[in-house]
Amino acid sequence: MIDLRSDTVTNPTKPMLEAMMNAKVGDDVFGEDPTVNELQQFAAEMFGMEAALFCSSGTQTNQIAIKLHTQPGDEVICDKLSHVYLYEGGGIASNSGASVRLIEGNLGRFTASQVIENINDKNNIHFPISKLVCIENTVNKGGGACWDLNELNKIKSVCNENNMGFHLDGARLFNAIIANNENPKTYGNLFDTISICLSKGLGAPIGSLLLGSKNNILKATRIRKVMGGGMRQAGFIAAAGLFALKNNITRLSIDNERAKIIANVLQQKKFVEFVYPVETNIVIFKVKQNQLSIEKLLHELNNNNIKAVSMGNNLIRFVLHLNISDTEFDFIVNKLNDLN
Ligand SMILES: *Cc1c(COP(=O)(O)O)cnc(C)c1O
């Protein structure tokens, strides 16, 4: 089976497993796991930020960040396609008691003026206090769309002027960094907190990192404990994350390129209404309802050993990742070429 449902389906490679088996470990709740400490320090330095915290998932890092930036009743501004709103089980409400203001952006990206329009007057007691702007780069539901750094700079100024935090859900940030030849430190400079996933395109089996100032990471460590996320000899899994950060970033360009090739093939298909612009490793396309049902197409792909997922609204998503060999990739392209 060739699994294109997500870049989370990857299994650790042999050298990654070796790094895990050889990890030096200790009790991380006491701050004594040398591998966790090394991973956190390595990531913080990479982004030019003061500190980092190793967590179990991207949902956990995002939810911790939202909680550390808000008080119950405050409002979080984010796009209506955002993972923090759609796919984290209502965590903004249940973990932080915060309210959400949704912006209708362009494939999950909005402008600084849209942020300004959505900030509540803090002197009017009727309104929740706008406390945090949360963006996602790349945007999962936007087909892996990337943000423009100029717009992010403008939003940062709006946040500063209005005493709001600025959080980045960077589950696939490295796909954007590689696609646009950017420097992680640029992001470290822009955001108060950043979440990055080690278990997506980077290929680690488990784990995400929350990056921020020393003070914010200290608060985050307490929140992680409250959420039951304090881990003990976590160095075994942190070693996989460290291996991923050291070895699997530049190769993301292969996934990004392959996604473009697949998009070009799909664009020629009669049953495809449109393909979202492909910038990174995600391809989302719409199937013409009168030509082919989503179920039938997914079934046909499955019969050809290709797994994909529906995103609702007649949309199908393919995600490229490091567990797809050259042969498997050629196989996918041939199969898609053959479909009609
Ligand atoms: C995958 C993902 C997350 C985190 O998901 P977990 O499964 O909790 O690790 C967060 N944001 C985006 C955009 C994602 O794609």
Side-chain angles (χ1 to χ4, degrees):
M1 265 309 191
I2 303 173
D3 201 340
L4 297 178
R5 286 174 303 167
S6 175
D7 44 8
T8 54
V9 300
T10 58
N11 287 324
T13 55
K14 209 160 172 231
M16 182 181 273
L17 281 170
E18 267 159 25
M20 294 169 77
M21 296 312 289
N22 294 325
K24 291 196 176 62
V25 299
D27 190 328
D28 182 50
V29 174
F30 295 143
E32 288 172 5
D33 188 300
T35 312
V36 171
N37 290 339
E38 189 186 344
L39 170 65
Q40 292 175 162
Q41 198 177 341
F42 184 84
E45 274 168 20
M46 193 174 207
F47 282 82
M49 294 179 97
E50 284 176 4
L53 186 67
F54 185 48
C55 294
S56 63
S57 69
T59 299
Q60 193 174 56
T61 43
N62 281 332
Q63 291 300 319
I64 289 173
I66 291 165
K67 195 165 173 67
L68 80 83
H69 289 295
T70 59
Q71 292 299 315
D74 288 346
E75 194 153 87
V76 177
I77 298 175
C78 63
D79 190 273
K80 67 169 194 176
L81 297 185
S82 59
H83 194 280
V84 292
Y85 174 68
L86 289 176
Y87 299 125
E88 299 187 7
I92 299 179
S94 70
N95 295 317
S96 300
S99 143
V100 183
R101 182 73 150 255
L102 294 178
I103 296 186
E104 183 146 359
N106 163 24
L107 296 176
R109 300 156 304 179
F110 45 80
T111 62
S113 18
Q114 282 179 296
V115 175
I116 294 169
E117 284 162 19
N118 284 284
I119 298 173
N120 294 326
D121 174 3
K122 62 175 179 305
N123 297 317
N124 186 328
I125 58 159
H126 294 89
F127 303 135
I129 299 169
S130 311
K131 236 355 179 351
L132 175 67
V133 175
C134 197
I135 74 116
E136 189 174 310
N137 199 19
T138 68
V139 187
N140 170 32
K141 237 194 162 179
C146 301
W147 282 71
D148 169 27
L149 285 173
N150 288 325
E151 204 60 46
L152 291 178
N153 270 303
K154 286 185 202 161
I155 297 175
K156 171 72 182 164
S157 304
V158 173
C159 288
N160 287 346
E161 285 154 20
N162 291 279
N163 194 29
M164 296 189 296
F166 197 19
H167 172 68
L168 167 58
D169 175 356
R172 298 187 180 82
L173 182 60
F174 285 110
N175 287 89
I177 286 176
I178 290 296
N180 302 307
N181 202 12
E182 294 164 345
N183 186 334
K185 292 195 171 65
T186 308
Y187 288 94
N189 213 7
L190 268 168
F191 290 92
D192 297 304
T193 47
I194 299 177
S195 156
I196 56 169
C197 284
L198 302 165
S199 61
K200 296 225 160 127
L202 295 181
I206 305 168
S208 284
L209 286 159
L210 183 66
L211 300 137
S213 65
K214 271 205 180 101
N215 192 33
N216 275 339
I217 294 303
L218 193 64
K219 280 196 209 167
T221 310
R222 173 175 281 275
I223 298 168
R224 185 186 65 173
K225 190 76 182 94
V226 173
M227 288 179 168
M231 297 184 280
R232 302 297 178 174
Q233 287 72 31
F236 291 117
I237 50 176
L242 202 51
F243 182 91
L245 286 180
K246 287 179 178 169
N247 297 284
N248 292 345
I249 293 178
T250 50
R251 65 149 308 285
L252 291 171
S253 62
I254 301 171
D255 302 337
N256 293 349
E257 281 314 307
R258 285 176 169 179
K260 287 201 177 77
I261 295 169
I262 287 181
N264 284 338
V265 173
L266 288 170
Q267 248 137 14
Q268 320 295 324
K269 296 280 137 190
K270 276 208 297 287
F271 63 82
V272 172
E273 190 169 328
F274 60 77
V275 185
Y276 281 175
V278 171
E279 296 183 55
T280 52
N281 66 327
I282 298 178
V283 186
I284 295 181
F285 62 100
K286 186 158 182 145
V287 176
K288 283 182 193 157
Q289 217 155 3
N290 53 356
Q291 296 265 342
L292 187 61
S293 80
I294 285 273
E295 291 73 27
K296 206 169 158 227
L297 180 55
L298 287 175
H299 191 70
E300 191 162 342
L301 289 170
N302 203 67
N303 283 345
N304 284 296
N305 297 323
I306 299 169
K307 280 192 187 179
V309 284
S310 154
M311 297 288 278
N313 280 328
N314 262 32
L315 298 166
I316 287 187
R317 185 184 77 166
F318 291 156
V319 189
L320 282 300
H321 54 75
L322 81 174
N323 272 182
I324 294 169
S325 68
D326 288 344
T327 329
E328 285 171 330
F329 179 66
D330 292 342
F331 177 87
I332 298 165
V333 172
N334 289 335
K335 281 295 162 208
L336 293 177
N337 267 321
D338 289 347
L339 284 178
N340 49 49

